[in-house]
């Protein structure tokens, strides 16, 4: 394809992909399958790799890109982004309406009601219908340029539809849906990182990341609700009309919006939604009531802080007081210990609550929570309620302090809190609370690669008591498996054959499969290269371990905690008795001659025909190289397969040598 044809096809693909993004993220009404959409993106990526100088800023492939920022640049808004005054009752809402009607004597006033999102306010500027800048509200006059991060939000258009005006500034709210918030906190808990208190804090923290790749992983969303400036198009007459135009131009607009002619109807509507707010998949803390006519809005004007034509009706706080009867500890699938307050049952937001999360030991200390305390709790959506504060003046002196146990309440193994972590964890390799997750990891493709041992089968094996640790897999018999659901004789034989084959996996696979915290695939390879047997790894000194790349103080502490457990000793004895290989054959250990890629950093992009991505990375690491996921000036080679991504473009920009698959295979040999 010549350059002219490529330019035309790329423009068409960008237009098609933008249309399908609009159907999916804005209208929630896709018209093609995910596979068809992915093929459009892959075709655009192929063309951009072949013609990198034709890549445009509004290309859907450019949502995440660029280097991390060193700081945010201040941005002055074209018009002030004012905050809203609050009302907390029907009487205060009626007073607001009387003030507005008093300033518009004899005029009919309509009211628009929209949800009040609990997120982060942003201003978005489009020039020639392309997103050129996104900024936080800041103090209302000046915010921070966070364009790079806002571009990662899939529901936010990089290019507006043809019906949009050429120049436009709008205001919206970035938020994190509750489902995404819960998943994010689960991931942070598993990684031993502090939890976000609520979706708003999570959204604000995500938008202000210096590295846009972090923001992209946070699954943010954005509703747009106000036109700030407009050039080249007839302005709307009402707020309701403005919302319809924003939707038509390509923005995501909240479908819950209503127009009322009487403030009494508005009050009843707000009261009803105070009870229904948890039906929404995102947090709202009230309703916004605006004068519908934009001409009336202009004439009403604003005070120094807030507009006279709008107000926020705040929902009653979802809080209640109750007493803590006890504090128990739950053990999660990753071994994290979470203290939970057992409460005297109390109704909060129409739901009877009898338990509340205390998150971790630091949280308990910071709030000085004790067994027997009278506390204020709050409920946030479907998330387990949490303790907001202790009613200190209600203490009697009989309250008892709480400390996390030194031993796991489920299996009795040592509980360890590693340096820099907020979460304490059970270190037991056979802990029943973690067993399903540990077996799944042990059998996974990048660990012992036991084909056919999926989650459903693992669930049955654990539930029936056939497997109490990973070593029990090697004691399974045909008669154990055949009676299980969806398991005939042939399937049972296949699973048993896969289990038997796993006994001879390389040492680094076993190290990774054991699930030592902070020891990933690459770390396991490096440990296996330095210590040719599991016994050698267990006997290694702190100095020897710290000399291994990617082993720091936290990983060292984790390795030490793992090997000193009685459960670990029993598991390793059972694995050895089952015939699982625990050392590398001498021929595989190699020396300098076996490390032809030593010191080289290699990035893979696209699909290789001769091997999987995992196999390619393993081949690089086995020869002393370092497989990496990002391209920088320190990268030595970028290997380009079929359908390469933006890494190929980045390599050419930086002058990093690019290898075809054939050249890569020659390099490996």
């Amino acid at each position: 394809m010549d350059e002219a044809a490529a330019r035309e096809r790329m423009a068409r693909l960008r237009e098609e992909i933008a249309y399908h993004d609009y159907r999916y993220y804005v209208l929630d009404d896709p018209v093609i399958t995910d596979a068809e959409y992915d093929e459009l993106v892959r075709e655009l990526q192929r063309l951009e790799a072949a013609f990198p100088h034709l890549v445009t800023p509004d290309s859907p492939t450019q949502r995440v890109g660029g280097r991390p920022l060193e700081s945010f640049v201040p941005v002055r808004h074209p018009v002030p982004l004012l905050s809203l005054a609050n009302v907390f009752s029907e009487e205060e809402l009626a007073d607001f309406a009387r003030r507005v009607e008093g300033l518009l004597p004899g005029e009919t006033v309509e009211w628009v009601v929209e949800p009040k999102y609990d997120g982060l306010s942003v201003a978005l500027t489009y020039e020639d219908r392309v997103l050129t800048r996104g900024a936080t509200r800041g103090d209302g006059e000046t915010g921070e340029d966070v364009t790079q991060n806002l571009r990662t939000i899939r529901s936010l258009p990089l290019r507006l539809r043809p019906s949009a005006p050429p120049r436009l500034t709008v205001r919206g709210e970035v938020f994190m849906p509750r489902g995404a918030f819960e998943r994010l906190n689960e991931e942070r808990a598993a990684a031993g990182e502090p939890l976000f208190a609520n979706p708003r804090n999570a959204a604000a923290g995500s938008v202000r990341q210096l590295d846009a790749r972090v923001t992209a992983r946070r699954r943010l969303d954005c509703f747009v609700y106000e036109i700030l400036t407009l050039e080249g198009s007839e302005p709307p007459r009402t707020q309701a009309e403005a919302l319809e135009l924003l939707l038509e131009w390509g923005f995501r607009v909240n479908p819950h919006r209503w127009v009322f002619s009487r403030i009494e109807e508005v009050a009843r509507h707000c009261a009803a939604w105070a009870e229904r707010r948890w039906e929404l998949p995102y947090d709202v803390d009230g309703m916004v009531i605006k004068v519908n006519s934009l001409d009336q809005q202009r004439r009403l004007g604003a005070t120094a802080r807030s507009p006279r034509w709008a107000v926020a009706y705040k929902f009653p706080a979802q809080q209640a007081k109750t007493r803590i009867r006890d504090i128990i500890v739950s053990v999660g699938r990753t071994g994290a210990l979470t203290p939970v307050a057992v409460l005297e049952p109390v109704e909060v937001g129409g739901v009877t609550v009898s338990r509340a999360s205390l998150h971790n030991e630091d949280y308990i200390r910071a709030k000085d929570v004790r067994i027997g305390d009278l506390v204020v709790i709050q409920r946030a959506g479907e998330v387990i309620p949490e303790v907001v504060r202790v009613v200190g003046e209600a203490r009697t002196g009989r309250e008892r302090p709480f400390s996390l146990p030194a031993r796991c309440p489920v299996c009795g193994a040592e509980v360890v809190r590693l340096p820099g972590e907020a979460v304490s964890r059970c270190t037991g390799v056979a802990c029943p609370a973690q067993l399903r997750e540990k077996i799944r990891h042990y059998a996974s493709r990048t660990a012992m690669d036991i084909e056919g041992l999926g989650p459903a089968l693992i669930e049955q094996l654990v539930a029936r008591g056939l497997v109490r640790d990973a070593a029990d897999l090697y004691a399974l018999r045909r008669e154990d498996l055949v009676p299980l659901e969806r398991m005939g004789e042939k399937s049972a034989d296949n699973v048993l054959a896969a289990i038997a084959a796993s006994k001879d996996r390389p040492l680094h696979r076993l190290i990774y499969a054991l699930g030592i915290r902070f020891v990933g695939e690459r770390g396991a390879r490096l440990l296996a290269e330095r210590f040719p047997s599991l016994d050698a790894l267990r006997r290694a000194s702190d100095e020897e371990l710290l000399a291994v790349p990617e082993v720091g103080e936290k990983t060292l502490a984790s390795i030490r905690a793992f090997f000193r457990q009685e459960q670990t000793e029993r598991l390793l004895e059972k694995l050895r008795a089952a015939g699982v290989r625990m050392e590398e054959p001498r021929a595989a250990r190699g020396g300098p001659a076996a490390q032809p890629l030593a010191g080289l950093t290699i990035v893979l992009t696209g699909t290789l025909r001769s091997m999987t991505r995992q196999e390619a990375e393993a081949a690089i690491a086995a020869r002393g190289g370092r497989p990496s996921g990002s391209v920088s000036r320190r990268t030595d080679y970028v290997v380009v397969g079929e359908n390469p991504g933006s890494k190929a473009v980045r390599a050419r920009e930086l002058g990093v040598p690019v290898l075809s698959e054939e050249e890569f295979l020659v390099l490996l040999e």
Side-chain angles (χ1 to χ4, degrees):
M1 183 181 293
D2 62 26
E3 183 170 318
R7 187 189 303 275
E8 183 179 344
R9 180 57 182 158
M10 290 165 75
R12 178 63 181 160
L13 284 168
R14 288 193 295 269
E15 185 179 326
E16 282 190 56
I17 293 168
Y19 171 73
H20 292 301
D21 282 343
Y22 176 69
R23 300 287 311 196
Y24 186 91
Y25 293 105
V26 177
L27 301 183
D28 195 22
D29 183 25
V31 291
I32 61 172
T33 65
D34 289 349
E36 290 170 320
Y37 177 89
D38 291 341
E39 182 52 40
L40 292 174
V41 174
R42 282 195 293 269
E43 183 183 353
L44 180 58
Q45 289 173 335
R46 287 195 296 269
L47 289 171
E48 289 183 342
F51 301 93
H53 58 288
L54 298 182
V55 177
T56 61
D58 63 314
S59 172
T61 65
Q62 303 301 300
R63 282 195 177 273
V64 185
R67 301 176 184 175
L69 302 174
E70 295 183 2
S71 62
F72 294 113
V73 177
V75 172
R76 190 163 184 84
H77 299 303
V79 296
L81 273 59
L82 301 176
S83 58
L84 294 174
N86 296 324
V87 297
F88 297 91
S89 66
E90 291 187 22
E91 292 76 17
E92 292 180 2
L93 181 60
D95 288 341
F96 160 72
R98 279 192 290 270
R99 287 195 301 272
V100 168
E101 290 165 349
L103 294 170
L104 301 169
E107 298 185 34
T108 300
V109 179
E110 281 189 330
W111 310 98
V112 174
V113 181
E114 305 164 46
K116 183 179 181 300
Y117 322 112
D118 201 7
L120 182 74
S121 184
V122 294
L124 307 162
T125 300
Y126 288 79
E127 297 179 5
D128 294 327
R129 300 183 181 86
V130 174
L131 176 64
T132 56
R133 190 169 65 197
T136 60
R137 176 181 177 272
D139 63 4
E141 298 283 346
T142 303
E144 293 178 319
D145 189 332
V146 289
T147 311
Q148 186 167 289
N149 292 340
L150 296 180
R151 289 169 62 88
T152 69
I153 301 174
R154 303 288 299 187
S155 59
L156 203 60
L158 301 181
R159 174 181 285 274
L160 299 179
R161 309 191 76 204
S163 58
R167 291 179 61 84
L168 179 71
T169 306
V170 298
R171 185 174 179 180
E173 193 89 357
V174 175
F175 63 95
M176 182 175 287
R178 279 198 292 272
F181 171 71
E182 291 165 21
R183 286 191 295 272
L184 175 61
N185 264 353
E186 286 174 2
E187 292 166 2
R188 292 178 70 84
E193 298 173 341
L195 303 185
F196 284 110
N198 52 57
R200 189 196 182 285
N201 288 1
S206 301
V207 168
R208 297 196 73 260
Q209 291 289 327
L210 293 174
D211 188 344
R213 291 170 297 183
V214 176
T215 309
R217 293 194 294 268
R218 297 283 176 85
R219 303 184 182 113
L220 298 174
D221 209 335
C222 181
F223 284 129
V224 172
Y225 56 83
E226 185 179 356
I227 299 172
L228 297 175
T229 66
L230 175 68
E231 293 181 26
S233 180
E234 189 70 23
R237 293 173 299 169
T238 66
Q239 170 66 8
E241 185 183 332
L243 294 172
E244 292 297 332
L245 283 174
L246 289 167
L247 181 63
E248 179 188 321
W249 295 339
F251 294 106
R252 184 158 192 228
V253 176
N254 196 296
H256 301 288
R257 50 188 190 275
W258 307 267
V259 178
F260 296 100
S261 58
R262 299 173 60 244
I263 201 67
E264 293 81 7
E265 295 173 317
V266 173
R268 286 194 295 270
H269 185 78
C270 291
W273 270 97
E275 301 301 320
R276 293 182 56 194
R277 61 172 131 163
W278 306 119
E279 297 174 12
L280 300 172
Y282 45 83
D283 280 0
V284 297
D285 57 0
M287 289 285 171
V288 176
I289 298 94
K290 302 174 183 176
V291 171
N292 192 24
S293 166
L294 298 184
D295 175 62
Q296 290 179 335
Q297 287 186 13
R298 282 189 289 271
R299 287 188 283 125
L300 287 165
T303 66
R305 296 180 57 86
S306 58
R308 294 190 180 92
W309 44 265
V311 75
Y313 179 97
K314 298 299 288 288
F315 291 146
Q318 298 289 291
Q319 295 184 339
K321 288 183 181 179
T322 186
R323 199 167 293 279
I324 297 179
R325 290 177 171 175
D326 197 3
I327 297 177
I328 60 175
V329 176
S330 68
V331 182
R333 61 183 178 83
T334 62
L337 271 65
T338 302
V340 178
V342 179
L343 309 170
E344 292 180 357
V346 63
E347 188 171 301
V348 185
V351 175
T352 300
V353 173
S354 58
R355 295 193 176 196
S357 173
L358 293 170
H359 300 300
N360 54 53
E361 204 164 18
D362 289 347
Y363 187 90
I364 292 174
R365 287 203 189 100
K367 294 185 180 293
D368 191 21
V369 179
R370 305 179 188 181
I371 298 169
D373 268 334
L374 185 68
V375 293
V376 175
I377 63 167
Q378 74 178 11
R379 173 174 171 263
E382 301 308 314
V383 183
I384 185 171
E386 63 180 2
V387 172
V388 178
R389 62 182 177 86
V390 172
V391 184
E393 59 271 23
R395 278 190 170 157
T396 64
R398 294 192 295 271
E399 294 79 13
R400 292 178 287 124
F402 170 83
S403 296
L404 277 177
R407 294 278 167 182
C408 173
V410 176
C411 72
E414 181 185 4
V415 169
V416 171
R417 180 176 174 180
L418 296 176
E421 288 210 325
V423 178
S424 298
R425 296 179 187 277
C426 166
T427 55
V429 292
C431 179
Q434 307 172 62
L435 185 55
R436 290 166 179 80
E437 181 66 17
K438 286 189 175 294
I439 299 297
R440 185 205 62 75
H441 174 74
Y442 185 89
S444 65
R445 185 175 179 182
T446 51
M448 300 301 270
D449 193 16
I450 304 177
E451 190 173 350
L453 193 62
L457 180 54
I458 293 172
E459 178 66 36
Q460 293 184 76
L461 293 173
V462 172
R464 295 189 178 213
L466 295 169
V467 170
R468 292 183 174 83
D469 60 31
D472 284 343
L473 293 171
Y474 300 101
L476 290 172
R477 301 165 300 171
R478 195 184 202 212
E479 51 266 37
D480 295 326
L481 298 180
V482 170
L484 300 180
E485 202 174 307
R486 296 186 179 180
M487 185 63 62
E489 293 184 357
K490 185 175 181 180
S491 298
D493 289 342
N494 289 339
V495 170
L496 291 174
I499 291 173
S502 73
K503 294 181 182 181
D504 201 38
R505 300 284 184 243
L507 176 62
H508 70 84
R509 290 282 197 103
L510 176 62
I511 294 173
Y512 178 59
L514 290 173
I516 306 171
R517 189 157 174 75
F518 302 120
V519 177
E521 293 177 60
R522 175 168 166 75
R525 285 182 182 280
L526 294 171
L527 288 170
E529 289 171 8
R530 176 65 180 82
F531 307 104
S533 71
L534 213 56
D535 284 337
L537 173 60
R538 181 164 44 180
R539 292 194 303 268
S541 67
D542 289 359
E543 292 74 18
E544 289 174 321
L545 286 168
L546 289 171
V548 176
E550 297 196 11
V551 175
E553 293 292 343
K554 191 184 291 188
T555 305
L556 171 66
S558 180
I559 293 172
R560 288 283 178 251
F562 177 82
F563 279 114
R564 69 170 170 256
Q565 302 307 313
E566 291 182 12
Q567 287 184 30
T568 300
E569 184 65 36
R570 289 195 297 270
L571 173 66
L572 297 182
E573 287 177 4
K574 288 172 68 176
L575 289 172
R576 186 177 287 107
V580 176
R581 194 173 90 191
M582 294 195 168
E583 62 179 20
E584 290 288 14
R586 291 186 179 276
R589 298 177 191 176
Q595 303 286 299
L597 304 185
L600 297 181
T601 298
I602 300 175
V603 173
L604 301 165
T605 181
T607 303
L608 301 180
R609 297 185 303 276
S610 59
M611 63 185 80
T612 66
R613 174 68 62 88
Q614 290 85 357
E615 289 168 344
E617 290 179 346
I620 293 168
R623 290 158 177 78
R626 178 179 178 270
S628 175
S630 60
V631 181
S632 71
R633 296 189 187 278
R634 297 180 182 178
T635 304
D636 294 289
Y637 296 106
V638 172
V639 179
V640 177
E642 295 178 354
N643 304 323
S646 59
K647 295 172 187 174
V649 178
R650 181 68 175 154
R652 292 186 177 96
E653 290 175 350
L654 296 177
V656 174
V658 174
L659 302 180
S660 66
E661 181 171 353
E662 291 72 22
E663 291 169 324
F664 173 57
L665 294 175
V666 171
L667 185 69
L668 292 180
E669 293 169 3

